[in-house]
């Protein structure tokens, strides 16, 4: 007897995240089940892709980040608290013009990494489908959409640490993502000259699953 297979339609929906003490709170919009981008595709790139990724560079490896990249950060990420992250969160920069590796000054959790400009706007969380979001406007911080073009060279970058997304939300399970080969592995350690091509399946040298 043939087994009937249930197909789940990919759906974009909000997921909540926070630091350990709760000072940093955010909402990220993800489409799950995930559709992995081709290994050869820039992520994100000219075509908007969602990605889960591990990087083997010395910073990402030491802080244990699972990068969650969204197609268009100004639409897909809302910071509920604090409303001035570059002033109210701690930051580490490897280079003066590099990424802001932001962290909570109280508990030390790193929820997201950012480069670019942000702005405060009013949104209706209830209308956006955010659980617990009452109807009516709420002031949030987000990446500024005007001129946002993803990429270090363009000065625009957002990566959410997947470990800071609240556990128990339907559809988000990091172990499942690894099992399904949804995690893309970057080589920025560059131990053999130029960076090796990004790939699925297994980490690059000194990387982690």
């Amino acid at each position: 007897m043939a087994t009937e297979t249930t197909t789940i339609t990919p759906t974009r929906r909000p997921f909540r995240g926070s630091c350990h003490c709760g000072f940093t709170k955010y909402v990220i919009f993800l489409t799950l089940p995930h559709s992995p981008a081709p290994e050869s595709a820039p992520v994100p790139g000219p075509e908007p892709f969602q990605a889960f990724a591990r990087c083997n560079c010395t910073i990402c490896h030491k802080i244990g980040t699972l990068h969650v990249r969204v197609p268009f950060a100004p639409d897909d990420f809302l910071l509920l608290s604090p409303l001035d992250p570059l002033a109210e969160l701690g930051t580490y920069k490897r280079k003066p013009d590099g990424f802001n590796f932001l962290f909570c000054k109280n508990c030390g959790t790193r929820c997201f990494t950012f480069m670019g400009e942000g702005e405060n706007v009013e949104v209706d969380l209830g209308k956006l489908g955010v659980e617990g979001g009452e109807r009516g406007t709420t002031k949030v911080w987000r990446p500024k959409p005007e001129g946002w073009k993803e990429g270090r060279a363009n000065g625009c970058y957002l990566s959410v640490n997947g470990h800071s997304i609240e556990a128990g939300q339907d559809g988000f399970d990091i172990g499942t993502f690894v099992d399904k080969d949804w995690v893309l592995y970057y080589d920025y350690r560059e131990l053999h000259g130029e960076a090796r091509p990004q790939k699925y399946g297994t980490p690059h040298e000194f990387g982690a699953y």
Side-chain angles (χ1 to χ4, degrees), residues 12 14 29 123-137:
R12 181 180 182 272
F29 291 84
V123 299
D124 189 323
L125 295 175
K127 286 185 178 179
L128 292 174
V130 178
E131 186 177 349
E134 297 181 1
R135 290 299 174 97
T137 58

Side-chain angles (χ1 to χ4, degrees), residues 29-31 44-45 47-51 69-74 76 148 150:
F29 291 84
L30 300 173
T31 299
E47 296 295 328
F49 289 115
Q50 173 180 281
R69 307 289 300 280
V70 289
F72 188 63
D76 298 324
W148 184 270
E150 184 70 34

Side-chain angles (χ1 to χ4, degrees), residues 74-110:
D75 286 344
D76 298 324
F77 179 80
L78 300 174
L79 187 65
L80 309 181
S81 172
L83 296 180
D84 190 356
L86 297 181
E88 297 180 73
L89 296 175
T91 188
Y92 172 72
K93 281 189 173 186
R94 184 178 180 182
K95 300 177 181 178
D97 61 346
F99 300 148
N100 292 286
F101 289 88
L102 299 164
F103 59 91
C104 175
K105 295 179 182 179
N106 183 47
C107 67
T109 305
R110 298 178 183 272

Side-chain angles (χ1 to χ4, degrees), residues 116-199:
E117 295 185 41
E119 64 178 4
N120 291 126
V121 295
E122 300 277 347
V123 299
D124 189 323
L125 295 175
K127 286 185 178 179
L128 292 174
V130 178
E131 186 177 349
E134 297 181 1
R135 290 299 174 97
T137 58
T138 299
K139 193 174 184 179
V140 301
W141 178 95
R142 69 174 183 183
K144 194 172 183 178
E146 289 78 18
W148 184 270
K149 187 177 180 182
E150 184 70 34
R152 180 197 296 268
N154 302 315
C156 300
Y157 178 92
L158 178 93
S159 169
V160 169
N161 180 6
H163 294 289
S164 68
I165 295 175
E166 308 294 359
Q169 297 180 89
D170 184 46
F172 191 90
D173 185 323
I174 294 173
T176 299
F177 298 172
V178 174
D179 290 343
K180 290 181 177 291
D181 284 341
W182 287 353
V183 178
L184 192 60
Y185 296 100
Y186 298 140
D187 176 31
Y188 287 108
R189 191 70 66 97
E190 300 178 9
L191 296 174
H192 307 281
E194 294 184 359
R196 295 182 179 185
Q198 60 197 22
K199 63 175 181 174

